[in-house]
Every structure is written in structure tokens, then in C-alpha cells.
Amino acid sequence: MTLTANKLSKRLNEKPDILFKLLVNREKAGSTAISPGIAIPHIILDGKHTFNILLARCKEGINFSENAPMVNAVFVLVGSKDERNFHLRALSTIAEIVQEHHFEKRWLRAKNARALRNAVLMGKKSRHK
């Protein structure tokens, strides 16, 4: 979570240690792993008009929690309270995408950032046809 906090701190103009602490506390409150290979940690920040998503892949797997020792796909959502509706819609959409039959295979086989993005967008397109 240190890498995640550092990356998000630049995007959000927030101290990495604050983001790290929020992410750790959120996971302690209840695991955000929705399957053995996928987690969607999400936190709320003070302030207004803030929303950001970070996608991360670890082919070798991250020991995310006791129930999810081999997470390969992590979708981190960070937003302020006034963006809560958008936050919940994004959470719902991501949950739908990652539950699709071939998502994990496309995600793990992706060769670069563009292919990872396409793994997410392909699932979205197939639902809206």
C-alpha cells in the first residue's frame, strides 16, 4: 500500500502517510477483496470535488489479507464525501467488470498499461451492446 499511497499523493496533493493510514484502516475495518484475486479498496478524503481511481496489477500476487493472499488486480478508489454518488457508481461498475468470465485472464496477460486499460474497457463495452 506504500506504493499506492505514494502514487495517489501526487495526483491528489495529499501526504502519502495520510493516504497510507486511511488505506490500512479501511482494510482493517473489513477486507475490500471481492474475490481471491481482486480487491477494490476505497477511502473517503476530507475536502470537496475529489475523485480518483488507481489500477494496479501484480502478476505474482499481493498478500492482501488473510482471505485474499494472492490478489493480482487492485482498483483503488479515493474521493471526497461530495463525490459519494460517483464513488458508488464507479465501485459498482468495477465490481461488474471484474466479475466477467475472462477478465482475470485478460488482466494477467496484458503486456502494458494500454492493454490493462483495454482489459477494463472491453468488459464495459460488452455489457453495453
Side-chain angles (χ1 to χ4, degrees):
M1 286 204 211
T2 302
L3 290 172
T4 301
N6 286 335
K7 187 80 165 178
L8 285 169
S9 73
K10 295 172 187 169
R11 294 181 185 182
L12 301 168
N13 197 28
E14 185 66 70
K15 292 180 181 177
D17 57 324
I18 291 172
L19 294 169
F20 179 81
K21 185 176 180 178
L22 288 169
L23 287 163
V24 168
N25 288 342
R26 172 60 187 95
E27 199 60 29
K28 284 180 182 176
S31 181
T32 58
I34 63 168
S35 74
I38 299 168
I40 311 175
H42 46 283
I43 58 174
I44 302 296
L45 290 178
D46 291 334
K48 293 192 181 268
H49 311 298
T50 300
F51 185 80
N52 209 290
I53 298 175
L54 178 112
L55 283 67
R57 173 181 68 176
C58 181
K59 286 184 178 183
E60 299 79 30
I62 300 166
N63 187 355
F64 207 76
S65 70
E66 188 176 304
N67 295 332
M70 289 297 293
V71 170
N72 304 103
V74 181
F75 296 77
V76 183
L77 282 69
V78 180
S80 52
K81 286 183 183 181
D82 64 321
E83 298 292 342
R84 189 74 175 153
N85 286 336
F86 187 68
H87 185 104
L88 292 173
R89 285 193 312 241
L91 190 60
S92 174
T93 299
I94 291 168
E96 286 180 42
I97 290 168
V98 300
Q99 289 179 23
E100 290 178 359
H101 183 62
H102 294 291
F103 171 78
E104 286 187 65
K105 186 187 299 184
R106 287 191 313 264
W107 181 259
L108 290 173
R109 288 186 178 171
K111 302 237 185 270
N112 54 38
R114 183 183 195 128
L116 287 170
R117 183 176 184 261
N118 288 340
V120 173
L121 296 177
M122 283 174 60
K124 189 174 180 180
K125 283 182 185 175
S126 67
R127 279 197 324 279
H128 296 292
K129 285 185 178 181

